[in-house]
Amino acid sequence: MQVDVVGWVLLADGEGGEGMKKHDVAISVAEEDKEVAYAIAAQLKKLKVRYYYYDEHKDNWGKYLINLTMDAYGRHTKYVLMITSRAFVQKYWSGIERQVALSRLPQGDILQLRLDDTQVDGLSAHMIYEDWKDNPEEIARLLKEKIGRKKWLVWARLMKICTSLLVLLMAVMSWYWAYMWYYHRHFAQTYVLVAGARPFFISNVEVTVAAYREYCMLTHKVFPEQPIHSVDSMPVRNVTWEEAKAYCAYVKGRLPSELEWETAAQGGESTVYSGGTSAVNVAVYHKVKPAFVGRKKANALGIYDMSGNVAEWCEDWADSAKTMKVVKGGGYDSEVEELAVKSRREERPEARLRDVGFRVVKDQ
């Protein structure tokens, strides 16, 4: 006596997977044939299979029968066992249970146990589970095997999904680390020689969030809170002039003077912006946040972002009263005219500004 059911599925309906089910099997039977249901239920209980049969559930009292039917023969069961006979097709409520099951479950989850040859609408020949031969033990055992197979398929599918997600995650992480390697390989901070009457070296990129955080950790200083959207490869911001000067001293450097800054920005050329005459090509501006350092075109000396991205502290006082410091370069939120090499602004040295960072100069 073989099971003849086509198609195994993992979800009973759109409202949840196997973990949402209350019952492994729900039994639908006419009143006249309930002794068959009792016999099968007793064997299911011995096998520790969760089943639903209306007569045996104490929590049915006071509940709407249609709600119980919708739950037991739809959302909350893996399989429905329909014990069919001439009485089954004549009973009103058996018909309701059958329609609910057919409308809410895949056909392969509705199992027909025939007590006679009565044809039942909606239950085709390939859904016949087994003819009744007074063998509840065998039917219960076959049901348990079928349930176990479905659970295995659920776990297999979950494992497949998890494996796919893991492969995707590994691919994303591999791409990320490859990108970061490439980025740091090409845009790691180096020092560029600026020739002239008094030669000096200047960092090719602005001091980054990552570099300044490492400095704070090594010196036990408080890392200044960064504006939203800041990441390690962006220029550090919210750093006062004194803090920028202290960082430069730690790496055996200093802040550039205004003249040194302009000389490095020009790079031996006579352009409006550092790196060219087109602000779009050389500067990050009119944005809501800075970019990673080194994203735009460098100037002739290989120095990035001296126009745009973040403005930069200089060593010089901007006024004779020595209350304001020079800031050069314009930032990510600047107007285009503020990006010019000759443009300057004045800020209080104790100020923490969301669009101001700095770079380092060394004398040798």
Side-chain angles (χ1 to χ4, degrees), residues 197-240:
R198 186 182 175 187
F200 61 91
F201 294 86
I202 190 167
S203 55
N204 66 330
V205 294
E206 296 150 332
V207 175
T208 63
V209 171
Y212 197 85
R213 183 190 294 111
E214 181 180 9
Y215 156 74
C216 288
M217 292 173 62
L218 293 173
T219 58
H220 306 289
K221 296 183 182 296
V222 176
F223 181 70
E225 182 178 356
Q226 295 299 289
I228 192 169
H229 304 310
S230 293
V231 297
D232 282 1
S233 295
M234 287 180 178
V236 70
R237 298 177 280 165
N238 277 354
V239 175
T240 68

Side-chain angles (χ1 to χ4, degrees), residues 114-245:
R114 298 191 309 182
L115 301 185
D116 57 36
D117 293 335
T118 303
Q119 294 296 313
V120 182
D121 291 342
L123 304 185
S124 58
H126 73 276
M127 292 176 57
I128 296 173
Y129 180 66
E130 187 176 322
D131 292 336
W132 176 248
K133 293 180 175 59
D134 198 17
N135 53 346
E137 298 91 347
E138 183 177 6
I139 290 174
R141 178 181 58 79
L142 291 172
L143 281 170
K144 184 173 182 177
E145 290 176 0
K146 187 181 290 289
I147 291 161
R149 198 175 303 126
K150 172 174 276 195
K151 289 180 178 178
W152 182 86
L153 286 171
V154 169
W155 281 110
R157 185 184 182 191
L158 287 174
M159 288 301 295
K160 184 177 181 180
I161 292 172
C162 290
T163 301
S164 298
L165 290 175
L166 181 61
V167 170
L168 178 61
L169 177 61
M170 291 177 66
V172 170
M173 291 302 295
S174 296
W175 176 88
Y176 172 78
W177 288 116
Y179 173 79
M180 293 305 293
W181 175 87
Y182 174 84
Y183 185 83
H184 287 294
R185 176 72 175 80
H186 289 78
F187 298 111
Q189 179 175 295
T190 59
Y191 288 88
V192 175
L193 173 64
V194 181
R198 186 182 175 187
F200 61 91
F201 294 86
I202 190 167
S203 55
N204 66 330
V205 294
E206 296 150 332
V207 175
T208 63
V209 171
Y212 197 85
R213 183 190 294 111
E214 181 180 9
Y215 156 74
C216 288
M217 292 173 62
L218 293 173
T219 58
H220 306 289
K221 296 183 182 296
V222 176
F223 181 70
E225 182 178 356
Q226 295 299 289
I228 192 169
H229 304 310
S230 293
V231 297
D232 282 1
S233 295
M234 287 180 178
V236 70
R237 298 177 280 165
N238 277 354
V239 175
T240 68
W241 180 86
E242 288 286 357
E243 290 171 340
K245 187 177 178 69

Side-chain angles (χ1 to χ4, degrees), residues 198-200 244-245 248-249 251-257 260 315 359-363:
R198 186 182 175 187
F200 61 91
K245 187 177 178 69
C248 291
V251 297
K252 297 180 171 53
R254 57 184 175 81
L255 288 172
S257 68
E260 287 173 330
E315 176 68 30
R359 71 178 69 225
V360 182
V361 162
K362 293 187 177 184
D363 294 312

Side-chain angles (χ1 to χ4, degrees), residues 200 202 241 254-266 306 312-319 324-329 340-346 361:
F200 61 91
I202 190 167
W241 180 86
R254 57 184 175 81
L255 288 172
S257 68
E258 183 175 12
L259 178 59
E260 287 173 330
W261 191 96
E262 289 187 2
T263 302
Q266 290 286 6
M306 294 200 80
E312 301 171 14
W313 288 115
C314 289
E315 176 68 30
D316 309 59
W317 290 105
D319 59 336
M324 309 290 280
K325 285 290 183 179
V326 173
V327 174
K328 297 286 288 185
V341 171
K342 294 297 182 182
S343 178
R344 64 156 15 189
R345 58 191 258 204
E346 303 174 1
V361 162

